[in-house]
Amino acid sequence: MKVLGLIGSPRVGGNTTKLVNAILEGAAENGAETKVYNLSGLDINPCKGCMTCKIESKCVIDDDMQMLYDEIQAADAVVIGSPIYMWEITAQTKLFVDRLIAFIKPDFSTRLNLPKKLVLAFTQGNPDPNTFKQYFDYMEGLFSFMQFDVQSSIVAAGTSNPEDVLQQPETLSKAKEIGKEL
Ligand SMILES: Cc1cc2nc3c(=O)[nH]c(=O)nc-3n(C[C@H](O)[C@H](O)[C@H](O)COP(=O)(O)O)c2cc1C
């Protein structure tokens, strides 16, 4: 079992990193091979809408997404973590998500090697974990549409300073449990 973690926070080492790492730790404890990338440290350009991926089955942009396409195909499970910025995922995460269009065929079937499990991990400054529930459901819907087998979403709420999630042992142990179940 290979589990790929992708962190969409530009604040490396912050709450999102810790939350994603807890999931990966849980997976590793149950024997998974884990790998993690910080999206903000990679060269990921915006999709330019050329739609060449619909004809040639491959994105033409020569950047680090090419490596991530391969990593995603090789993984049994993907964990995507993002802080909420202005009610949605960060720009870094959005760049990555847009580029996943290369996995969608013209008839909307998928080029992904299936099955592929998915976990979404969010962090937010707002202390109410239900504030963005509709948005989290929408994100699950998007990834289900792309044929990912969505396992769960987890949110660490009320995380402003980079260490805040460490004060939430229940959230971190839930994250570990989610990883173990992968
Ligand atoms: C530009 C920016 C926008 C933000 N917008 C929101 C928001 O709309 N709602 C919210 O609850 N928190 C918001 N936050 C707070 C972050 O989501 C929160 O601090 C998160 O835990 C940061 O993750 P990190 O520690 O991995 O960087 C925002 C933070 C920044 C820097």
Side-chain angles (χ1 to χ4, degrees), residues 8-84:
S9 173
R11 189 163 64 170
V12 175
N15 297 290
T16 313
T17 306
K18 292 177 176 72
L19 190 61
V20 170
N21 282 343
I23 297 169
L24 297 181
E25 256 176 59
E29 275 180 24
N30 263 0
E33 185 188 316
T34 67
K35 222 176 203 183
V36 65
Y37 292 96
N38 290 303
L39 297 177
S40 64
L42 297 178
D43 175 30
I44 301 178
N45 290 279
C47 172
K48 51 185 184 177
C50 67
M51 292 294 175
T52 308
C53 61
K54 301 295 150 248
I55 302 156
E56 294 181 5
S57 312
K58 199 177 174 296
C59 177
V60 293
I61 304 174
D62 183 16
D63 61 8
D64 287 336
M65 255 330 268
Q66 299 301 337
M67 175 272 291
L68 285 187
Y69 288 134
D70 292 344
E71 291 282 18
I72 291 167
Q73 289 294 40
D76 300 290
V78 181
V79 179
I80 301 176
S82 178
I84 292 296

Side-chain angles (χ1 to χ4, degrees), residues 7-19 81-88 90 122-128 131-132 156-165:
I7 298 167
S9 173
R11 189 163 64 170
V12 175
N15 297 290
T16 313
T17 306
K18 292 177 176 72
L19 190 61
S82 178
I84 292 296
Y85 274 15
M86 298 301 182
W87 291 33
E88 57 188 315
T90 60
F122 299 100
T123 65
Q124 60 180 63
N126 190 311
D128 178 357
T131 308
F132 303 110
T159 50
S160 296
N161 297 316
E163 308 292 321
D164 280 350
V165 74

Side-chain angles (χ1 to χ4, degrees), residues 66 76 87 95 99-100 108 112-113 121 163 171 181:
Q66 299 301 337
D76 300 290
W87 291 33
L95 284 178
R99 297 282 299 280
L100 295 179
F108 297 107
L112 284 170
N113 298 331
E163 308 292 321
T171 310
E181 280 165 22

